[in-house]
Amino acid sequence: MTYTNFTVDTDADGIALVTWDMPGKSMNVFTAEVMDELNAIIDATVADKAVKGVVITSGKSSFSGGADLSMIKSMFSFYQDEKAKDPAAAAQKLFDLVGRMTGLFRKLETCGKPWVSAINGTCMGGALEMSLACHGRVASNAKSVKLALPEVKVGIFPGAGGTQRVSRLTDAQSALQMMTTGQSLTATRAKAMNLLHQVVEPDQLIPAAKQMIKDGLKPVAPWDEKGFKVPGGGIWTPASAQLWPAAPAILRRETSGNYPAALAILKCVYEGLQVPFDTGLKIEQRYFTQVLQTTEAYSMIRSLFISMQELGKGARRPAGQPKNEIKKVGVVGAGFMGASIAYVTAAAGISVTLIDRDMEAATKGKSVGEGLVKDSIGKGRLTQDEGAALLARITPSADYADLSDANLVIEAVFEDREVKKAVIEAVEAVLPEGAIFASNTSTLPISGLARNSKRPVDFIGIHFFSPVEKMMLTEVILGKETGDKALAVALDYVAAIKKTPIVVNDTRGFFVNRCVFRYIHEAYDMLIEGVPPAMIENAAKMAGMPVGPLSLNDEVAVDLSMKILKAAVADLGENAVDAKHMQLVTRMVETEGRLGRKNSKGFYDYPPKPAKKSLWPGLKDFYPQKKADDVDVKVLKQRFLVTIALEAARTIEEGIVTDPREADVGSILGFGFAPYTGGVLSYIDGMGVKAFANLCETLASAYGDHFKPTALLQEMAQKGETFYGRFDPYGVKAAA
Ligand code: NAD
């Protein structure tokens, strides 16, 4: 029998080697067809008397990424369509669909012949769940081998037996930790957790897996053996009495109750360990069906998986532009940002000329890369040779003539129009025809800077976020005259350095900073109202923001906030800013000398390590303080999310952002907007535009006109539209 996605080779010892290698895909994933074929392989190997056992491995460098999430997304659409007709029947059908993978893996586990999973590379999600259903598991010790059940990161959880098998192989605490965080395990760690039987040299992988079968591996899972005991003795032990009462509290501390899937993992393990294995699987299947019906799961899969992938693959790349291979990049300005931009570029295998005003400054910029390489070598992420090769790709220089063969130049000099103008002119004097100039400015409109350019068609913004080596987002900004080639080069470059781009039109603050400053300004309003600072910070985290607004402002620098407000007044007049905000930041910076983390004094105090930062007590003396009981935390949470989402809606209305996927992905990757919502616009669509507009009205009447719903929102509310429907990124009109 032949299969599309697998080959089966039975050797003289009667061991069938099943190699999973999907044609035309860089990674194996579970699709309906793969499940059909695996089912057929189980039947065929059981029926074939010559087959004594099966080793399953991958023909690719990775083992598998798990279930194809587009398949899961299609389950949502199916459920929504069916629900309208008959909700109970729709839930039952969803339940049956969800059980398909569970049933397939249980069939494999109980087929009567031993199966060994030979894990040669990354093994995630459903693929690890399948491996856990195999009777033996061997992994190669190659650095590339990573095992994880990362489903929680996209709003779902391991729903094909993962919660039941992991918690029957390892202690409950490690199982919960692994599944509620979605963390990746090395092969060594997975073996220490009893999730693997052996870890071997890569070339020993298949022989070792086959040897397990030759050594008489029993085709019975431990939990199917008589007298099986759960590791640690199960739920009703003294150790469990320590773990289980605390577990929900710890989860609440980490997630503020915002992630239904994380809670479902706890329930599956707690309930599942008290019943026979097959009943445990049913419990898991029920919770999975329930979680799949949540807005959180739908929105997270859409933004954090599907949209992110689409944007990464160039969804916004202009048609008809040939792919550009970026061989050499110039970075001008080897300061805080430029040094790191040079590093990430060199890490992607691209040669970089790093220019500053003199050789000393340029060399200092390169030394930032040296520090990062040293760290990576220390953490085992780079070998000495790889580190040396990376650094050899960065050439410090003070001579613009060295840019004469660059494909792209990125400037990251001082945020000053005159300095930038001089740099643009100096670069263009040597830059070859067809090469692109990009500015990393964070506040100066690109069209204005492009006026200094002789070729504004080749001028674009590529806005990085700090720390550059960690932040996955880049904002690509189109000036009025930016041409398609510049956009294509910018996107090809962003893809080469493995970051996710969003493409936005020109405006003050672009997309991300416009939203971020709304967040910070709402915190200013709360301070001015007398809300205790700790409540402001905690409410933001409870709303799902990773960093409180005051803490974030310290990172950004309070004096930068002041400068931005002053620039807005200079450019747009006094009314462009809130006078009370100006007073607050001016007092912080000019009276108190509190600039933020950079001088260890901002809204927080930063004592020398290991002491932790704490809110500056003097802040309470700025405004008469409200009593905590008089402040409604629920409203604080709403104010943060609504003010940011409203700003995002304005960027759509103004045509700054044109694709809802970019607003959502940009908000999560750029400033960690409550990921469980799926991003700023999914937050609005998730509650319904009408409900959002009503909430805006309520907040506006209590907290100011900046909450007033915009004309577009009112129109959409009236027509019953969604952002994903009205601004359909796929060009087909369909309500999301
Ligand atoms: P920085 O002061 O750390 O670095 C600027 C560098 O430019 C310095 O090394 C300086 O010597 C060099 N420079 C100045 N004039 C020059 C010239 N004529 N020729 C060559 N080099 C020159 O500043 P930074 O924080 O790295 O910011 C650089 C740019 O990046 C700014 O436009 C800023 O708005 C933008 N940006 C900053 C951040 C951030 O978090 N700091 C984030 C995104 C974007």
Side-chain angles (χ1 to χ4, degrees):
M1 177 132 184
T2 57
Y3 305 93
T4 306
N5 303 291
F6 297 92
T7 55
V8 183
D9 257 319
T10 306
D11 67 13
D13 294 317
I15 299 174
L17 180 65
V18 175
T19 306
W20 187 5
D21 195 354
M22 296 173 81
K25 291 228 176 216
S26 57
M27 195 180 253
N28 294 322
V29 286
F30 276 104
T31 59
E33 185 187 57
V34 165
M35 287 197 275
D36 284 343
E37 292 195 348
L38 184 61
N39 189 40
I41 291 170
I42 299 171
D43 288 340
T45 49
V46 167
D48 188 344
K49 288 211 171 61
V51 173
K52 295 199 173 57
V54 181
V55 170
I56 181 161
T57 192
S58 156
K60 304 199 187 288
S61 58
S62 58
F63 186 83
S64 158
D68 179 358
L69 288 182
S70 325
M71 175 175 82
I72 295 193
K73 191 173 172 236
S74 69
M75 286 190 197
F76 287 113
S77 326
F78 149 84
Y79 173 69
Q80 291 305 332
D81 294 347
E82 296 280 314
K83 194 171 80 167
K85 292 180 231 149
D86 182 347
Q92 180 63 47
K93 275 196 195 159
L94 188 62
F95 179 76
D96 295 340
L97 264 179
V98 162
R100 181 145 186 241
M101 219 163 166
T102 312
L104 178 64
F105 296 165
R106 186 65 176 142
K107 174 171 170 175
L108 184 160
E109 188 170 60
T110 55
C111 75
K113 289 191 179 173
W115 277 62
V116 179
S117 177
I119 301 167
N120 59 313
T122 299
C123 178
M124 298 280 168
L128 181 54
E129 293 184 285
M130 179 194 71
S131 300
L132 294 170
C134 290
H135 310 96
R137 287 171 292 284
V138 189
S140 123
N141 63 8
K143 226 172 34 179
S144 58
V145 172
K146 292 264 176 302
L147 299 99
L149 294 174
E151 290 86 343
V152 77
K153 292 184 179 168
V154 290
I156 52 176
F157 70 88
T163 63
Q164 301 308 302
R165 292 192 176 91
V166 172
S167 60
R168 282 169 172 79
L169 285 168
T170 195
D171 65 282
Q173 187 168 356
S174 306
L176 291 180
Q177 163 84 8
M178 174 189 178
M179 292 187 285
T180 56
T181 62
Q183 68 183 165
S184 275
L185 307 174
T186 60
T188 318
R189 172 78 188 120
K191 175 149 189 300
M193 281 173 68
N194 196 33
L195 301 182
L196 293 175
H197 296 94
Q198 289 182 48
V199 178
V200 298
E201 291 295 325
D203 62 350
Q204 288 307 305
L205 185 66
I206 303 301
K210 288 187 168 180
Q211 194 59 46
M212 281 188 88
I213 295 173
K214 286 189 222 162
D215 289 346
L217 179 69
K218 246 173 123 179
V220 182
W223 36 90
D224 290 327
E225 297 266 25
K226 243 190 142 97
F228 168 72
K229 287 221 163 40
V230 171
I235 299 294
W236 305 107
T237 64
S240 285
Q242 301 280 321
L243 171 70
W244 284 103
I250 294 169
L251 187 71
R252 197 158 183 90
R253 186 189 67 199
E254 299 300 320
T255 65
S256 301
N258 288 325
Y259 293 85
L263 183 61
I265 292 170
L266 231 66
K267 292 179 181 177
C268 286
V269 174
Y270 183 76
E271 294 173 27
L273 286 183
Q274 302 182 56
V275 294
F277 184 73
D278 283 307
T279 314
L281 289 180
K282 271 277 178 295
I283 289 173
E284 183 191 81
Q285 193 179 343
R286 287 201 177 124
Y287 280 124
F288 198 75
T289 309
Q290 202 178 61
V291 163
L292 271 190
Q293 294 171 52
T294 62
T295 310
E296 288 85 348
Y298 178 77
S299 305
M300 285 176 82
I301 289 186
R302 178 169 66 188
S303 295
L304 291 165
F305 182 76
I306 294 171
S307 301
M308 211 181 279
Q309 241 185 23
E310 288 168 353
L311 297 180
K313 283 185 183 157
R316 289 295 310 281
R317 210 174 172 284
Q321 283 291 327
K323 192 165 162 32
N324 303 282
E325 198 194 331
I326 319 277
K327 291 205 181 105
K328 182 163 167 191
V329 168
V331 177
V332 183
F336 179 66
M337 295 300 284
S340 300
I341 296 170
Y343 167 79
V344 297
T345 307
I350 301 169
S351 300
V352 186
T353 298
L354 178 58
I355 293 203
D356 209 296
R357 288 176 291 188
D358 51 46
M359 200 53 189
E360 194 189 336
T363 310
K364 191 164 163 239
K366 180 169 175 175
S367 71
V368 171
E370 286 161 0
L372 291 166
V373 163
K374 203 168 154 209
D375 272 3
S376 295
I377 293 175
K379 287 181 185 146
R381 291 193 190 130
L382 282 181
T383 63
Q384 290 282 356
D385 286 353
E386 287 164 345
L390 188 162
L391 289 172
R393 285 191 284 272
I394 304 178
T395 310
S397 164
D399 185 358
Y400 283 81
D402 291 343
L403 301 176
S404 62
D405 56 348
N407 309 102
L408 167 71
V409 169
I410 303 167
E411 73 77 13
V413 297
F414 299 140
E415 190 74 338
D416 177 299
R417 282 194 178 95
E418 288 310 310
V419 175
K420 294 212 191 272
K421 176 173 187 281
V423 167
I424 293 164
E425 287 167 359
V427 171
E428 284 190 355
V430 295
L431 200 61
E433 206 42 48
I436 302 302
F437 185 99
S439 172
N440 177 47
T441 177
S442 28
T443 56
L444 304 171
I446 292 298
S447 305
L449 288 178
R451 268 184 231 123
N452 303 306
S453 166
K454 281 199 230 104
R455 14 202 265 220
V457 171
D458 296 334
F459 198 103
I460 197 162
I462 303 183
H463 183 214
F464 287 84
F465 297 90
S466 127
V468 177
E469 60 286 0
K470 293 213 177 102
M471 295 291 286
M472 293 313 300
L473 187 74
T474 51
E475 216 171 2
V476 173
I477 300 115
L478 300 173
K480 277 202 186 71
E481 296 181 58
T482 304
D484 278 357
K485 167 148 192 217
L487 175 58
V489 168
L491 292 179
D492 291 344
Y493 165 71
V494 172
I497 59 170
K498 297 197 172 66
K499 298 206 184 284
T500 306
I502 60 169
V503 180
V504 305
N505 288 313
D506 207 8
T507 176
R508 183 177 288 269
F510 313 129
F511 170 72
V512 169
N513 284 345
R514 269 181 68 161
C515 293
V516 165
F517 279 101
R518 282 285 173 185
Y519 178 47
I520 290 174
H521 290 174
E522 201 56 32
Y524 292 172
D525 279 352
M526 292 176 188
L527 279 176
I528 293 162
E529 288 160 27
V531 177
M535 282 189 89
I536 298 175
E537 294 291 86
N538 287 336
K541 284 191 219 143
M542 287 160 74
M545 301 299 290
V547 183
L550 301 177
S551 175
L552 181 65
N553 200 170
D554 275 358
E555 298 297 328
V556 171
V558 189
D559 59 326
L560 180 65
S561 295
M562 186 181 80
K563 271 191 208 149
I564 292 173
L565 289 181
K566 285 194 169 163
V569 170
D571 292 354
L572 308 168
E574 292 285 340
N575 289 340
V577 306
D578 184 327
K580 289 197 189 116
H581 292 180
M582 187 70 103
Q583 279 162 9
L584 168 60
V585 290
T586 311
R587 181 167 171 190
M588 284 290 287
V589 174
E590 291 178 357
T591 315
E592 311 286 350
R594 304 193 73 92
L595 310 184
R597 182 185 286 271
K598 65 180 178 189
N599 76 338
S600 303
K601 289 193 299 186
F603 290 106
Y604 284 76
D605 280 324
Y606 297 85
K609 282 184 176 167
K612 284 194 177 153
K613 69 176 184 181
S614 56
L615 277 159
W616 174 48
L619 196 53
K620 287 194 180 149
D621 302 332
F622 276 36
Y623 308 100
Q625 295 291 287
K626 283 190 172 170
K627 285 205 203 86
D629 283 351
D630 295 340
V631 180
D632 187 342
V633 174
K634 186 172 158 225
V635 175
L636 299 185
K637 284 162 58 180
Q638 281 172 340
R639 286 172 66 181
F640 283 130
L641 299 188
V642 170
T643 193
I644 300 171
L646 195 48
E647 187 66 13
R650 287 187 197 106
T651 65
I652 291 260
E653 190 160 356
E654 292 164 22
I656 302 302
V657 176
T658 52
D659 184 328
R661 292 175 296 182
E662 296 184 302
D664 275 346
V665 170
S667 68
I668 297 178
L669 293 187
F671 52 95
F673 184 84
Y676 65 90
T677 62
V680 276
L681 297 183
S682 287
Y683 169 66
I684 302 179
D685 277 1
M687 79 167 80
V689 175
K690 192 167 181 192
F692 181 76
N694 288 341
L695 182 55
C696 289
E697 290 286 6
T698 310
L699 292 174
S701 60
Y703 302 102
D705 282 353
H706 64 290
F707 276 113
K708 277 244 169 261
T710 64
L712 173 70
L713 278 166
Q714 283 169 341
E715 185 196 320
M716 288 174 64
Q718 203 217 341
K719 291 184 177 163
E721 290 177 331
T722 61
F723 279 95
Y724 277 81
R726 179 163 175 147
F727 301 95
D728 186 349
Y730 306 102
V732 189
K733 271 262 169 246

